[in-house]
């Protein structure tokens, strides 16, 4: 039977190793687990047993997974870019090679379960008016999506061949306390008054609160039916870009503006540089996904973007 995972201390998992424990999601995952935790990190974390390893330049120590039962692999390079072969090589090294090296060591070390936190970008982008599920495999988006997808496929193959339980969870855009990246930039722009109101569009973006994502990660780690499967995690309520802007305005204590800046204006701004175009394209894109498969395991989100007033700082 699936346990009911409420956000809080969890004690059903033992002898756990976590990578990416100092990241946005990883920090919340560590707080949610009441068990023996070891972390694999670039820097020593004094409050936790730490194996120091930098995936960009170090080999994983042979003893890193000794006596470990469950691995939560969150570490990776997450910010997509288009700066050439040098960066592409780094994505391959960290997101694919290091992931497979860790999984192969896990098999040799007798690890029972390997949970890989991937991204919806591994399954490709959705068209306007469409929400993708796990069966809708399109072309992965950018070097980030491509390397995540390659890692997924190789991991699932290793799991099938070795008998180690392998599960992939693809996260949609994550929001929550201390959020970073484009969401933080958008909120800051709204809060300081320099980011104009987005035009009303029909696009939909799937998102998930970091605490709900942690609950989903722990759920699949405990359910044997998740073995060998890929699951998409969302809060079940896709938002248009203008809705995200309005909800952030409310969270910042700002009134929702009745006027909108035409999309033509943003197209003109985007033409100023490839970097600006990339960010605006991501903001206006359609990224809608279904988490129905995960919900069939018993997952139900507890938070929505409307609680953004407690999710930024």
């Amino acid at each position: 039977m699936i346990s009911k995972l409420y956000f809080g201390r969890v004690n059903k998992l033992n002898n756990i190793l976590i990578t990416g424990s100092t990241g946005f999601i990883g920090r919340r995952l560590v707080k949610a687990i009441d068990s023996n935790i070891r972390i694999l990190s670039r820097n020593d974390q004094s409050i936790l047993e730490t194996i120091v390893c930098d995936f960009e330049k170090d080999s994983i120590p042979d003893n890193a997974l000794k006596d470990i039962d469950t691995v939560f692999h969150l570490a990776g390079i997450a910010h997509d870019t288009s700066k050439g072969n040098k960066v592409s090589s780094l994505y391959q090294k960290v997101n694919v090679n290091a992931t497979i090296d860790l999984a192969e060591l896990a098999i040799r070390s007798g690890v029972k379960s390997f949970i890989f936190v991937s991204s919806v970008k591994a399954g490709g982008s959705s068209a306007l008016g469409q929400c993708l599920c796990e069966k809708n495999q399109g072309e992965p988006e950018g070097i980030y999506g491509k390397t995540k997808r390659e890692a997924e496929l190789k991991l699932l193959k290793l799991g099938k061949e070795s008998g180690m339980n392998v599960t992939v969870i693809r996260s949609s855009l994550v929001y929550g306390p201390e959020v970073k990246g484009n969401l933080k930039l958008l909120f800051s722009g709204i809060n300081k008054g320099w980011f104009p109101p987005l035009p009303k569009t029909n696009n939909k973006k799937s998102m998930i609160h970091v605490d709900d994502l942690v609950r989903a990660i722990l759920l699949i780690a405990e359910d044997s039916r998740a073995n060998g499967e890929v699951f998409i995690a969302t809060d079940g309520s896709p938002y248009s870009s203008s809705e995200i802007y309005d909800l952030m305005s409310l969270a910042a204590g700002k009134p929702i503006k009745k006027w909108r800046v035409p999309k033509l204006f943003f197209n003109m701004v985007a033409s100023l540089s490839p970097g600006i175009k990339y960010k605006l394209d991501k903001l206006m894109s359609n990224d809608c996904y279904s988490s129905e498969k995960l919900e069939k395991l018993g997952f139900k989100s507890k938070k929505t973007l409307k609680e953004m007033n407690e999710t930024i700082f």
Side-chain angles (χ1 to χ4, degrees), residues 127-190:
L128 195 62
Q130 179 187 23
C131 291
L132 297 183
C133 68
E134 293 82 358
K135 293 181 179 180
N136 303 131
Q137 292 298 328
E139 180 66 23
E141 184 175 320
I143 185 64
Y144 173 59
K146 289 176 181 178
T147 51
K148 283 292 187 181
R149 182 59 180 152
E150 183 179 349
E152 288 181 4
L153 292 172
K154 290 182 175 180
L155 278 176
L156 292 169
K157 183 172 184 289
L158 280 175
K160 187 174 182 180
E161 292 173 348
S162 68
M164 180 176 69
N165 288 356
V166 172
T167 306
V168 174
I169 183 165
R170 290 178 179 170
S171 172
S172 53
L173 183 61
V174 187
Y175 59 93
E178 300 177 343
V179 67
K180 297 180 180 179
N182 290 334
L183 280 181
K184 182 177 181 179
L185 180 64
L186 176 59
F187 183 84
S188 177
I190 292 171

Side-chain angles (χ1 to χ4, degrees), residues 71 112-119 122 133-137 148-149 151-161 163-171 216-217 219-233 291-297:
V71 171
K112 298 174 183 176
S113 297
F114 193 103
I115 312 301
F116 180 50
V117 180
S118 185
S119 166
C133 68
E134 293 82 358
K135 293 181 179 180
N136 303 131
Q137 292 298 328
K148 283 292 187 181
R149 182 59 180 152
E152 288 181 4
L153 292 172
K154 290 182 175 180
L155 278 176
L156 292 169
K157 183 172 184 289
L158 280 175
K160 187 174 182 180
E161 292 173 348
M164 180 176 69
N165 288 356
V166 172
T167 306
V168 174
I169 183 165
R170 290 178 179 170
S171 172
I217 291 169
L219 176 67
I220 63 172
E222 288 194 318
D223 196 315
S224 60
R225 293 176 297 174
N227 180 32
E229 298 290 341
V230 177
F231 296 91
I232 292 173
S291 54
E292 182 179 353
K293 182 178 177 180
L294 183 62
E295 291 165 4
K296 288 180 179 179
L297 284 189

